[in-house]
Amino acid sequence: MAYLNPNKLIILFLILGSLSKAQEKTLYVIHSNNTNGALENCYCPDNPFGSLEKRSVYINNFKKENPNTIVVDAGDFVTMNQQSLKDSLVAEAYGLMPYDAILYGDQELALDARTLNRLRGQLGATLVGTNIDRSDLFQSKIIRRKGLRIAVMGIVDPYAIKFYPDEIKSRIRLSDPVKAVKNEMKKLQNKADIFVLLTHQGYDLDVEFAKKIDGLDLIVGSHSQTAIEKPKEINKTLIVQSGKAGYYVGLVKIKMKRGKVVEKSGKLDTMKFELPDDPRII
């Protein structure tokens, strides 16, 4: 009977282990929503948290340690009552952060064309809008990180603009969000490993949306300003949202093995008072 040399066995196991690890990949998704114009917060006794001045440092530090990270925002980054100077400053602050994709919320879409075009020039990120009829938006964006291809899409549900005056609603053209996403995913089925959808419709509608779409890995929600500390999967889609006013930053971890998603988890990190400030934003 022939016996393998023990040293050769060890080498074989090391090679097999190395191949197995090479087939494992991890992607991080940093997400935000409903900043509502909060450059920095008041540190009030009930909510002593920061906002963009701390988010900027958090994102940049995390990306230095984890280059396999994408950064997205699901909309309503401007003020609710259209403070033009503050909105401009917020857009400038967003432009200082490495956002890969941003979805307009109802608060952005309600702005007049001239103001929105000016803000767009300050943001410095790709604007996605899979069901939004605007020439300056992309239906989706493919982002590449460490050999992974991440498709990012974005939708606004008509419900989000339901209570706006007819004058504003008439200039916001939205197609059916479910059909739009299904069509886009069909186009991208051989071009993406992970599908991420930014939504502006609220948590309850996110849950219903996930039931109607197969193949979505992650929904990054907004509008309802829900702080989801322990996100759940619906129809294999993880649904996350990070509250309001920049109090929190959401962090999602997606593990892949042999080209398939095997594990997803999410959490919120609080922009606490003791975190450092970005001097540029201050």
Side-chain angles (χ1 to χ4, degrees), residues 148-184:
L148 291 174
R149 301 168 300 173
I150 306 101
V152 180
M153 303 167 289
I155 62 102
V156 174
D157 191 274
Y159 169 77
I161 61 170
K162 180 179 179 180
F163 300 106
Y164 277 91
D166 290 340
E167 176 191 351
I168 292 176
K169 287 194 288 186
S170 65
R171 65 173 187 255
I172 302 173
R173 298 183 297 274
L174 306 173
S175 63
D176 181 274
V178 174
K179 288 181 181 178
V181 170
K182 283 184 176 180
N183 289 340
E184 194 65 14

Side-chain angles (χ1 to χ4, degrees), residues 31-143:
H31 61 92
S32 55
N33 60 272
N34 291 95
T35 300
N36 296 331
L39 275 166
E40 66 170 341
N41 282 325
C42 66
Y43 307 114
C44 305
D46 56 337
N47 285 306
F49 309 138
S51 187
L52 296 186
E53 83 285 19
K54 298 185 183 297
R55 183 193 301 174
S56 176
V57 177
Y58 173 94
I59 290 175
N60 285 305
N61 286 346
F62 189 90
K63 283 200 71 176
K64 282 180 185 176
E65 295 183 11
N66 304 279
N68 50 326
T69 300
I70 69 169
V71 187
V72 297
D73 188 277
D76 280 0
F77 53 87
V78 299
T79 56
M80 289 183 279
N81 52 354
Q82 298 188 5
Q83 300 177 46
S84 59
L85 175 58
K86 196 172 186 185
D87 291 344
S88 179
L89 292 173
V90 169
E92 194 74 20
Y94 263 64
L96 295 173
M97 290 181 272
Y99 275 99
D100 294 289
I102 292 174
L103 170 69
Y104 281 152
D106 59 283
Q107 289 167 203
E108 286 79 47
L109 292 173
L111 296 171
D112 64 84
R114 185 178 178 182
T115 300
L116 197 53
N117 287 337
R118 186 180 71 248
L119 295 179
R120 185 191 189 284
Q122 295 175 275
L123 291 171
T126 299
L127 296 165
V128 294
T130 312
N131 79 320
I132 308 172
D133 184 8
R134 284 182 60 93
S135 60
D136 57 343
L137 305 184
F138 290 85
Q139 289 191 311
S140 61
K141 180 182 182 181
I142 300 292
I143 304 168

Side-chain angles (χ1 to χ4, degrees), residues 100-274:
D100 294 289
I102 292 174
L103 170 69
Y104 281 152
D106 59 283
Q107 289 167 203
E108 286 79 47
L109 292 173
L111 296 171
D112 64 84
R114 185 178 178 182
T115 300
L116 197 53
N117 287 337
R118 186 180 71 248
L119 295 179
R120 185 191 189 284
Q122 295 175 275
L123 291 171
T126 299
L127 296 165
V128 294
T130 312
N131 79 320
I132 308 172
D133 184 8
R134 284 182 60 93
S135 60
D136 57 343
L137 305 184
F138 290 85
Q139 289 191 311
S140 61
K141 180 182 182 181
I142 300 292
I143 304 168
R144 288 173 171 81
R145 290 288 186 276
K146 296 284 186 177
L148 291 174
R149 301 168 300 173
I150 306 101
V152 180
M153 303 167 289
I155 62 102
V156 174
D157 191 274
Y159 169 77
I161 61 170
K162 180 179 179 180
F163 300 106
Y164 277 91
D166 290 340
E167 176 191 351
I168 292 176
K169 287 194 288 186
S170 65
R171 65 173 187 255
I172 302 173
R173 298 183 297 274
L174 306 173
S175 63
D176 181 274
V178 174
K179 288 181 181 178
V181 170
K182 283 184 176 180
N183 289 340
E184 194 65 14
M185 288 181 70
K186 189 175 181 180
K187 292 178 189 175
L188 301 175
Q189 60 184 345
N190 297 318
K191 299 178 181 179
D193 306 301
I194 296 173
F195 284 94
V196 176
L197 177 66
L198 312 182
T199 72
H200 204 89
Q201 59 185 357
Y203 179 73
D204 291 343
L205 290 180
D206 283 342
V207 170
E208 294 306 311
F209 196 96
K211 295 175 183 177
K212 299 173 184 176
I213 305 283
D214 295 326
L216 266 182
D217 297 296
L218 176 65
I219 287 179
V220 176
S222 60
H223 194 62
S224 58
Q225 306 188 136
T226 311
I228 305 174
E229 295 185 8
K230 295 181 180 179
K232 297 178 181 178
E233 287 190 51
I234 304 292
N235 190 24
K236 298 183 180 180
T237 302
L238 190 71
I239 301 175
V240 300
Q241 196 176 151
S242 59
K244 64 177 182 177
Y247 294 159
Y248 311 102
V249 169
L251 180 63
V252 171
K253 184 177 182 180
I254 300 176
K255 287 186 178 180
M256 295 194 69
K257 193 170 185 179
R258 297 187 181 91
K260 294 189 179 295
V261 175
V262 294
E263 185 180 332
K264 288 176 278 187
S265 61
K267 66 172 185 174
L268 296 180
D269 282 334
T270 307
M271 299 297 96
K272 295 179 181 178
F273 180 79
E274 57 266 25

